[in-house]
Amino acid sequence: MKSYKNDLSQVLGAVLALGLATPVLAQQAPAAATPPVTDEASTIEAITVTGTRIQGLDLKGAVQAYQIDRAVIDESGATSVIDLFSQLPAAAGGGGTFSTASSGALSSDTPVGASGVSLRGLGTSATLTLINGRRASVSAFARGQESFIDASAIPLAALERVEVLPNGASALYGADAVAGVVNYVLRKDFEGAEFTASYGDSTAASDEGRFNANLVVGKAFGDHHVTAVVDYFKRNAFYLRDREASRDSVRPSQQGFYPSFNDLFFMTNDQTEGPGNGGCAASDFKVGNLGEYCQVNSNRYVSSQDQQESLGGLITHDFAISDNVSWYNELLFQHTEARGTSSPANFSRAPIDPANPNWPAALQADIVAEGRVRRFSSYNGFPIFAWGKLIESRAVEVESDSFRYVTGLKGKFTNGWTYDAGLLFGGNDRTQSGLSGLIKSKAFYDANLGNLCSDGSTVRRWNVNLVRPSATYVGNTCEAAGKTTLWYNPFGGQTTQAAGLDKLLETTAEREGRSRTYSLDASTSGDLFTLRGRTVKAAFGAEYRRETLRDTPSGDAVATSTNPEPILGFSSTSARAERDQWAVYGELYLPLADQFDVQLAGRYDHYDAFGGDFNPKVSARFKANDLLTFRANWSTSFRAPSLAQSGAGVLLSSYRVDCRATPAACNGNAAASGQSLLSEDVGNTDLKAENADTWGGGLLFQPNSDIEIKLDYWNIEHKNLVGIAEDDFIRRALGGAFPVTGAGLLPTGKPGVEVTNGFVTDAHFQISNLGYQKTSGLDFSYTQYLPESEAGKFTLTFDATYLIDFDRKASSDAVVEKLAGDYLYPRFLANARLRWKLNDWRASLGARYVSDYKDDPDARTLAAVGLPATAQVKVDSSVTVDASLSYDFGPHSFVQLNIRNLLDETPPRVLGSSANVDLYNHDLIGRFATLRLTHRF
């Protein structure tokens, strides 16, 4: 650890040690004069709640922070919380912030019905999420093996505002606030009743309708005040096939509904049912390096946005026990049902009995000719293998119940110090059920080999090896046992199957998850003493938290050493973890001069499984004059592995080897097409915590009362990362760090790779502590209030983020990846908006800009679009325009029309994405209009 951190830690540690004596010291200190509160000061205080623990401190210009208030929420036309972050450049880039547009039934998809926020592209686990200044419970289902706070579990109508602190805040709110803090502030102290209803849809021919209705009521009863919110939301599914940009896959799947067949002994080239015999359509029939195949455009089956329905609400209760003490209660809840759809599953190397009665005569003849045998019966007793695709899309439904209850006391001591003590209990329960396309691999192989009887029993016609699908002939039959064989028909596009077969093959593969958070916290804040006539302020506090996570998939979906892929092309994460954590913290505000002040903060966090760490923060503000203010900050962070990471089991995943990055995995040929792996992600009980250093500086320039300019530089070095770097893992395995075996010889749950003829054909990736990632950039913000005139009142805002660098080194011997301007990491993101108000009319016109960046297609995709394997491709920059118009027909009552993507711009083509579009940085849905009515009673 660096010496300057040790020195500062000792100083701040001594401050923390004096925390318990602080109220006594404060009683002896003279009271400072309280400055008058102006509208401007009130606004700044509201914005910087996430910038300090000290109550009532005016930090104007000291902290870089963003606020999305209720007016902006209404103006945005957002129908969910995650929609709000499309207007915040600091939350874009890198694929960290995700919405339901990237969800689906596959392990590589984000969880159905869920969304998460990431600042600076560092991932959701590096962004601390708070609700009313307190932590939230993680989603019971992880994103892969990374826990996150589900933004979709918060009803949009329950929000008063969202506060974002886009720099390290570990010393204030938690050691894991590496990239910053997002704080959702809930509505309270509402008077009256307000009803809102909205309906929106795209202007395309497809139906992506969204309906939302909510009711907010509030009333004071003597010393009590109650606010209640009820919110209902429903949205239709949106499919890739509904837009021209994503309708047709650039590189269709070579495993089709008409499978390719090869006995892997006599035959050289694969054979399939060709168009001349009523098989594959002529437009889909192709011949490749391995022979014939019938391609499938998988994009026709995938949903880009899941179907969703939710009902949630909020109840707050405040009771003024006395002038100085109040009791508060918050209950937040939401029930969500969502459905996600992914492409049909592939089956690879599935053994087929040559005696299956469904074999088409023409296909038999082709296989006889290719194998140079006398007759088709020559294959009897030996399996013929099939590579194909099931005909039903993989679809799952997820039900989620989230809740959060907080109760506490807050008030003021006689010496003027304030206090807040609260108890929190929250959690999330999720259940996932398969709706279609989830086929048990053993039952599928049995049905293709004649092992499955019509009553559901099995015989040993063939012995099946599930580790590397193959079969050995035995000869028993259902008929010999007085039963009937129930054959699967892999021919004729798989559309004709025996009655009752589907019930024996399909599974719902139910998965249940449960997360819980229990916490107790207390804090106090006030004037500490005077220093040269200026008041030194402080805040001290302590927290205790217990978290538990259980993610239990159905036995059908659990990989074993004898059945590594129990469901074709599908798996579920498993996790089981619990932890206890406690922390103490302190903060000092030191006004060293009239124009110069410093904030010192320190926090010690201790985890029962990962030990503890002290993290300091120093920030300073220098007001050069009434026009110009400078600010700077430095802090450290300590992030223990998330519950899903520390308690991870085995997750079946998929990955295509990148031969350019790892030529040794492709027989030394960097131009080759890497193998598509049905891989595993394997847990690791020896994980260690991550660390980070964050520093930055900026300025606030206000040449007059109508113009505000902010410029900030930020720099984050995030070390000892927990995760999986596939290419680096393969390189390390081939270098001797992990076992290398032949095909089918690597046991389930054991990290390593399998190699066949010089190509990596399977990998079991292990979660581990990786190298580092470093990122830096500039944020620029401009606000101008134009003089009010007969034409109305105009306000112009402009926010932009420029990514200077984003370097990632996966391990000590890996190369440094320069990601800024690379795939998913545009260098420049900007939002501009012009707002107008005249009497009862309001309007706004906004634009969002995403700069170009490098694409990431593989060699096969480049070949499919007619480009050489060495071609460098860019994703074009894009600009989308939004508009809003509303009319106020009463106090807090209005009707509004909001149009996103007013010009109906098509997102740029992205060859590195199977959707043809970058769903993290661009919007596929096109022009979308929403009509909203809000009426205050």
Side-chain angles (χ1 to χ4, degrees):
M1 192 175 293
K2 298 179 181 178
S3 60
Y4 62 79
K5 181 178 177 180
N6 286 334
D7 295 339
L8 189 57
S9 296
Q10 293 176 7
V11 174
L12 294 179
V15 172
L16 281 174
L18 294 173
L20 294 177
T22 299
V24 176
L25 294 173
Q27 290 180 22
Q28 299 171 354
T34 303
V37 177
T38 65
D39 292 341
E40 183 181 53
S42 298
T43 301
I44 294 299
E45 181 182 347
I47 292 175
T48 58
V49 167
T50 51
T52 181
R53 291 277 194 174
I54 300 174
Q55 297 294 315
L57 184 62
D58 179 8
L59 289 181
K60 183 178 180 181
V63 178
Q64 182 190 6
Y66 299 97
Q67 176 176 262
I68 306 172
D69 60 22
R70 191 69 227 176
V72 173
I73 293 173
D74 291 336
E75 178 191 81
S76 68
T79 55
S80 64
V81 170
I82 199 64
D83 289 343
L84 301 174
F85 291 89
S86 65
Q87 306 298 319
L88 187 64
T97 295
F98 65 90
S99 70
T100 54
S102 55
S103 69
L106 309 186
S107 59
S108 57
D109 297 325
T110 60
V112 171
S115 57
V117 180
S118 162
L119 297 175
R120 307 302 188 197
L122 295 177
T124 54
S125 60
T127 300
L128 178 58
T129 299
L130 307 173
I131 300 177
N132 278 356
R134 288 185 169 89
R135 286 178 177 262
S137 300
V138 299
S139 166
F141 291 169
R143 181 190 187 188
Q145 286 168 324
E146 180 184 32
S147 295
F148 65 95
I149 306 300
D150 183 11
S152 298
I154 304 173
L156 184 63
L159 288 184
E160 181 63 34
R161 63 182 183 274
V162 181
E163 300 167 341
V164 180
L165 182 69
N167 57 52
S170 298
L172 294 172
Y173 293 102
D176 49 349
V178 175
V181 176
V182 174
N183 184 31
Y184 299 103
V185 180
L186 304 178
R187 301 177 85 165
K188 59 177 296 185
D189 299 332
F190 188 86
E191 286 290 339
E194 181 182 273
F195 174 75
T196 298
S198 69
Y199 179 79
D201 201 351
S202 72
T203 56
S206 52
D207 182 7
E208 289 87 37
R210 303 177 187 178
F211 174 73
N212 176 239
N214 59 75
L215 177 66
V216 184
V217 295
K219 187 172 178 58
F221 304 91
D223 295 327
H224 298 265
H225 190 283
V226 176
T227 299
V229 179
V230 179
D231 183 272
Y232 172 78
F233 173 69
K234 184 176 182 179
R235 178 183 66 197
N236 293 335
F238 169 46
Y239 293 89
L240 294 180
R241 63 175 178 261
D242 293 330
R243 295 296 181 271
E244 184 176 354
S246 55
R247 182 176 300 139
D248 298 312
S249 175
V250 172
R251 193 188 70 196
S253 171
Q254 292 189 13
Q255 292 181 235
F257 302 139
Y258 291 88
S260 300
F261 298 91
N262 196 310
D263 77 324
L264 300 180
F265 187 79
F266 292 113
M267 299 171 63
T268 301
N269 295 312
D270 295 348
Q271 298 295 308
T272 191
E273 297 175 74
N277 299 296
C280 178
S283 58
D284 294 326
F285 183 77
K286 306 292 180 182
V287 178
N289 294 333
L290 300 177
E292 299 175 353
Y293 64 92
C294 184
Q295 69 181 16
V296 170
N297 176 17
S298 299
N299 287 16
R300 297 292 176 120
Y301 306 91
V302 179
S303 62
S304 170
Q305 197 159 255
D306 53 28
Q307 176 182 313
Q308 189 170 342
E309 186 172 13
S310 63
L311 177 65
L314 167 71
I315 300 174
T316 66
H317 167 242
D318 288 276
F319 172 44
I321 299 174
S322 68
D323 290 342
N324 292 322
V325 181
S326 64
W327 176 39
Y328 59 88
N329 295 272
E330 305 165 7
L331 175 61
L332 183 69
F333 59 91
Q334 177 132 311
H335 174 79
T336 300
E337 296 180 8
R339 177 180 297 186
T341 306
S342 300
S343 62
N346 291 340
F347 53 86
S348 299
R349 197 186 158 92
I352 312 295
D353 191 336
N356 186 317
N358 297 298
W359 280 95
L363 180 59
Q364 288 179 331
D366 290 342
I367 290 176
V368 167
E370 175 64 25
R372 296 180 177 86
V373 296
R374 291 186 177 183
R375 61 186 65 87
F376 192 72
S377 60
S378 300
Y379 291 100
N380 286 348
F382 301 94
I384 297 177
F385 297 94
W387 285 260
K389 187 183 297 292
L390 300 172
I391 61 174
E392 280 195 302
S393 296
R394 286 164 287 183
V396 297
E397 183 175 62
V398 174
E399 290 193 25
S400 173
D401 288 290
S402 299
F403 67 93
R404 169 190 172 90
Y405 175 64
V406 179
T407 184
L409 294 173
K410 62 182 177 181
K412 183 180 293 187
F413 294 115
T414 55
N415 60 11
W417 276 63
T418 61
Y419 65 87
D420 188 343
L423 178 67
L424 180 150
F425 173 50
N428 175 236
D429 295 307
R430 288 180 188 262
T431 301
Q432 176 178 286
S433 300
L435 298 176
S436 65
L438 306 189
I439 303 298
K440 293 178 287 188
S441 58
K442 184 179 185 307
F444 179 75
Y445 298 146
D446 281 339
N448 276 287
L449 292 167
N451 288 348
L452 186 61
C453 304
S454 56
D455 63 352
S457 63
T458 58
V459 296
R460 292 181 62 218
R461 180 178 174 85
W462 296 77
N463 281 334
V464 182
N465 178 8
L466 298 173
V467 176
R468 179 169 172 78
S470 61
T472 304
Y473 186 70
V474 178
N476 297 332
T477 66
C478 294
E479 283 71 19
K483 304 175 184 179
T484 303
T485 303
L486 199 61
W487 292 95
Y488 185 83
N489 182 5
F491 312 105
Q494 305 175 69
T495 58
T496 303
Q497 302 295 343
L501 181 60
D502 56 343
K503 294 180 180 180
L504 299 176
L505 299 186
E506 294 180 356
T507 177
T508 59
E510 287 203 359
R511 170 188 176 193
E512 293 186 353
R514 182 178 188 269
S515 75
R516 292 292 184 268
T517 299
Y518 314 83
S519 72
L520 177 65
D521 64 84
S523 62
T524 183
S525 171
D527 298 343
L528 194 59
F529 54 81
T530 58
L531 178 66
R532 297 178 182 177
R534 303 178 184 90
T535 302
V536 175
K537 298 177 179 291
F540 298 93
E543 299 175 4
Y544 167 78
R545 184 172 75 257
R546 176 171 178 77
E547 295 177 293
T548 63
L549 176 68
R550 302 287 186 274
D551 187 352
T552 308
S554 163
D556 287 345
V558 176
T560 66
S561 58
T562 58
N563 190 4
E565 190 188 8
I567 299 175
L568 294 172
F570 179 83
S571 70
S572 294
T573 306
S574 65
R576 184 181 182 90
E578 57 185 40
R579 68 168 50 139
D580 293 295
Q581 182 263 341
W582 59 267
V584 292
Y585 59 86
E587 180 185 359
L588 286 177
Y589 168 70
L590 302 171
L592 301 180
D594 291 342
Q595 305 298 324
F596 181 66
D597 54 63
V598 174
Q599 284 177 270
L600 301 178
R603 181 184 177 102
Y604 180 82
D605 288 86
H606 186 275
Y607 293 83
D608 56 1
F610 297 97
D613 192 53
F614 182 82
N615 289 282
K617 178 173 182 175
V618 179
S619 60
R621 171 180 56 172
F622 173 62
K623 190 173 183 179
N625 50 51
D626 292 338
L627 307 181
L628 185 62
T629 300
F630 295 94
R631 58 196 180 201
N633 66 85
W634 170 83
S635 62
T636 67
S637 300
F638 165 89
R639 193 192 80 83
S642 67
L643 290 173
Q645 289 171 332
S646 61
V650 176
L651 170 68
L652 298 185
S653 59
S654 60
Y655 183 72
R656 179 172 289 279
V657 175
D658 186 347
C659 295
R660 292 172 298 181
T662 54
C666 305
N667 205 23
N669 184 5
S673 294
Q675 295 293 304
S676 179
L677 311 181
L678 291 174
S679 52
E680 294 180 3
D681 294 347
V682 181
N684 186 347
T685 58
D686 296 325
L687 293 175
K688 296 177 174 57
E690 302 173 350
N691 298 95
D693 290 288
T694 301
W695 63 276
L699 60 85
L700 169 65
F701 179 54
Q702 293 181 292
N704 56 53
S705 60
D706 294 328
I707 296 178
E708 182 177 84
I709 300 173
K710 301 174 186 177
L711 180 65
D712 288 277
Y713 170 81
W714 44 270
N715 186 298
I716 303 172
E717 182 176 356
H718 196 186
K719 298 161 287 188
N720 213 26
L721 302 176
V722 174
I724 292 175
E726 290 87 353
D727 293 323
D728 181 68
F729 180 89
I730 292 172
R731 282 194 297 267
R732 292 166 60 204
L734 296 177
F738 298 97
V740 178
T741 72
L745 299 180
L746 188 65
T748 290
K750 185 176 181 62
V753 299
E754 297 179 1
V755 177
T756 305
N757 298 326
F759 283 80
V760 171
T761 52
D762 196 5
H764 298 179
F765 302 110
Q766 186 177 48
I767 302 173
S768 59
N769 288 102
L770 307 174
Y772 66 80
Q773 54 188 6
K774 299 179 181 178
T775 181
S776 66
L778 290 171
D779 293 330
F780 176 77
S781 177
Y782 177 87
T783 302
Q784 181 166 4
Y785 303 94
L786 300 177
E788 189 168 0
S789 66
E790 293 182 356
K793 183 178 181 180
F794 292 88
T795 303
L796 175 65
T797 61
F798 178 79
D799 293 287
T801 290
Y802 180 78
L803 185 62
I804 296 174
D805 57 52
F806 200 117
D807 298 342
R808 180 178 294 158
K809 187 176 174 69
S811 65
S812 58
D813 57 349
V815 297
V816 177
E817 300 175 86
K818 301 287 187 179
L819 298 179
D822 209 335
Y823 184 62
L824 299 182
Y825 290 85
R827 281 192 179 272
F828 189 62
L829 298 158
N831 284 291
R833 186 165 295 272
L834 178 65
R835 293 183 171 89
W836 166 80
K837 187 178 189 310
L838 177 62
N839 300 324
D840 296 328
W841 290 92
R842 287 174 289 130
S844 71
L845 186 66
R848 181 172 187 260
Y849 173 78
V850 180
S851 67
D852 61 10
Y853 56 89
K854 288 174 62 178
D855 206 342
D856 187 35
D858 59 22
R860 289 176 59 194
T861 302
L862 288 171
V865 295
L867 293 173
T870 56
Q872 297 292 318
V873 185
K874 277 196 171 185
V875 177
D876 292 337
S877 61
S878 69
V879 177
T880 54
V881 176
D882 303 329
S884 173
L885 176 66
S886 66
Y887 173 73
D888 298 338
F889 57 87
H892 307 289
S893 298
F894 61 91
V895 60
Q896 178 193 63
L897 175 65
N898 180 281
I899 303 178
R900 286 194 170 192
N901 196 354
L902 178 66
L903 304 179
D904 200 20
E905 293 289 336
T906 300
R909 184 177 73 168
V910 181
L911 296 177
S913 167
S914 60
N916 305 343
V917 174
D918 174 2
L919 297 175
Y920 294 102
N921 292 302
H922 301 114
D923 185 16
L924 175 63
I925 203 166
R927 185 189 294 118
F928 196 94
T930 303
L931 185 65
R932 182 191 309 272
L933 171 67
T934 295
H935 181 55
R936 178 76 66 91
F937 298 94

